[in-house]
Amino acid sequence: MGKKRKHSESEAVAVPKKEDAAPERPTRTLLGWKDNNHNDEVKDVDSPFFRNKEKVLVTCSRRINYRYRHLMLNVVSLLPHCKKDNKVESKETKGATLNELVELKNCSSCLFFECRKAKDLYLWMAKCPNGPSVKFLVSAVHTMEELKLTGNHLKGSRPILTFSTNFEKDAHWKLLKEMLLQIFETPKDHRKAKPFHDHVFVFSIVDDHIWFRNYQISVPHNEADKLPRGGLDKMTLVEVGPRFCLNPIKIFGGSFGGPTLYENPFYVSPNQIRALQKKKNAGKYAKKVKAKTRRKMHEMSNTLEPDEFADMWKE
């Protein structure tokens, strides 16, 4: 009768060699097949190229005017890298709400159209979550539907941004130029963007206001009129729209608030302008009342003598 084997010897016999065992089947994941033998440690590899991952959240306040809402939709159509969200209540806590929305939408910038009294439109332009942010008063609004211009460019194509030389004049204009450049520039490898340029965004400073224009680059496509490389003499610019004017009010150090970096000394609020206009109109009425009073005093001081022939034909 043979001897019984020990447990340790039986376990050693049962375990096959690593070389003789069949290779394990790779695990299937949502991103493809994953090799179990692959080392899961992620090594940081410094890429030599910078990838622009800019995303802009575009939203508006409640009770916005239809004209300003159409302007916001025009801006959304011009920015393929933006995300549109529901309306936000315009309260004192809107800054915290918008910062939370930007974080949930995985964005880095925000354009907030705030309408007050159904007349005045303010535009908040912010880099989230650390700032800076700018508050503009929007005026001279003309939407694409209102203008009906002949220009037309492909939706989602990348624009060429041009700035007037006034942006290099002062520090606050340089900051505004950098913010406009980061927000309105379409990232190169964005999935919704086309890889070519066929329109131009023009930002120019006139009377301390930023004027925005959008032009299509029109090139003749006939075989006879085909342009050589670098032939810019036959290229023309055709306006597409929309049009609007931005009057900077304040520049803040944080996102939708914080320390004031710059305040426009020439800014006059629309409420003040309307109050002055009311006073001016009220002055016209006061002049009429004074004229009537003077006429009565003149008649009382210069009474007419009774006419002896006044009652001649009454009988």
Side-chain angles (χ1 to χ4, degrees), residues 110-126:
C110 181
L111 291 176
F112 177 58
F113 292 84
E114 183 180 6
C115 185
R116 293 186 179 178
K117 297 186 176 180
K119 299 176 183 177
D120 308 325
L121 179 65
Y122 297 90
L123 174 62
W124 283 87
M125 192 179 295

Side-chain angles (χ1 to χ4, degrees), residues 44-91:
D44 296 334
V45 180
D46 295 335
S47 176
F49 302 103
F50 168 73
R51 186 178 178 186
N52 188 2
K53 296 183 179 180
E54 182 77 21
K55 294 178 184 176
V56 184
L57 177 69
V58 181
T59 183
C60 64
S61 62
R62 295 190 182 276
R63 294 173 293 277
I64 191 171
N65 195 357
Y66 72 94
R67 195 177 183 192
Y68 299 149
R69 188 178 71 251
H70 291 174
L71 175 67
M72 183 194 70
L73 295 177
N74 292 159
V75 173
V76 168
S77 65
L78 293 177
L79 303 178
H81 60 290
C82 76
K83 294 183 178 181
K84 194 166 74 72
D85 201 78
N86 297 330
K87 296 179 181 179
V88 178
E89 192 68 41
S90 181
K91 293 182 178 179

Side-chain angles (χ1 to χ4, degrees), residues 86-119:
N86 297 330
K87 296 179 181 179
V88 178
E89 192 68 41
S90 181
K91 293 182 178 179
E92 294 181 356
T93 58
K94 64 176 179 293
T97 306
L98 288 169
N99 284 328
E100 187 176 355
L101 279 175
V102 169
E103 187 179 357
L104 290 173
K105 291 286 184 178
N106 195 20
C107 297
S108 56
S109 304
C110 181
L111 291 176
F112 177 58
F113 292 84
E114 183 180 6
C115 185
R116 293 186 179 178
K117 297 186 176 180
K119 299 176 183 177

Side-chain angles (χ1 to χ4, degrees), residues 143-211:
T143 61
M144 290 183 184
E145 296 81 4
E146 180 184 355
L147 291 171
K148 295 182 180 178
L149 296 168
T150 57
N152 185 21
H153 60 78
L154 192 64
K155 186 175 180 179
S157 59
R158 299 175 65 206
I160 299 173
L161 273 68
T162 61
F163 296 88
S164 61
T165 56
N166 303 351
F167 278 96
E168 302 297 332
K169 185 172 59 176
D170 295 323
H172 64 278
W173 291 122
K174 291 181 181 178
L175 176 60
L176 292 177
K177 177 183 177 181
E178 186 62 30
M179 290 189 67
L180 291 169
L181 191 66
Q182 293 185 17
I183 291 176
F184 283 88
E185 183 185 18
T186 304
K188 182 180 179 182
D189 298 325
H190 196 270
R191 59 188 180 87
K192 291 185 180 179
K194 307 297 186 298
F196 46 85
H197 305 272
D198 67 343
H199 63 289
V200 184
F201 287 167
V202 180
F203 297 93
S204 54
I205 299 175
V206 181
D207 297 334
D208 293 328
H209 290 61
I210 300 175
W211 297 79

Side-chain angles (χ1 to χ4, degrees), residues 251-254 257-262:
I251 301 178
F252 300 97
T260 303
L261 303 180
Y262 170 77

Side-chain angles (χ1 to χ4, degrees), residues 265-284:
F266 305 106
Y267 170 71
V268 182
S269 67
N271 293 332
Q272 222 169 343
I273 295 172
R274 283 192 288 267
L276 292 172
Q277 188 65 32
K278 282 184 179 179
K279 284 184 180 179
K280 189 177 178 181
N281 296 337
K284 290 181 180 178

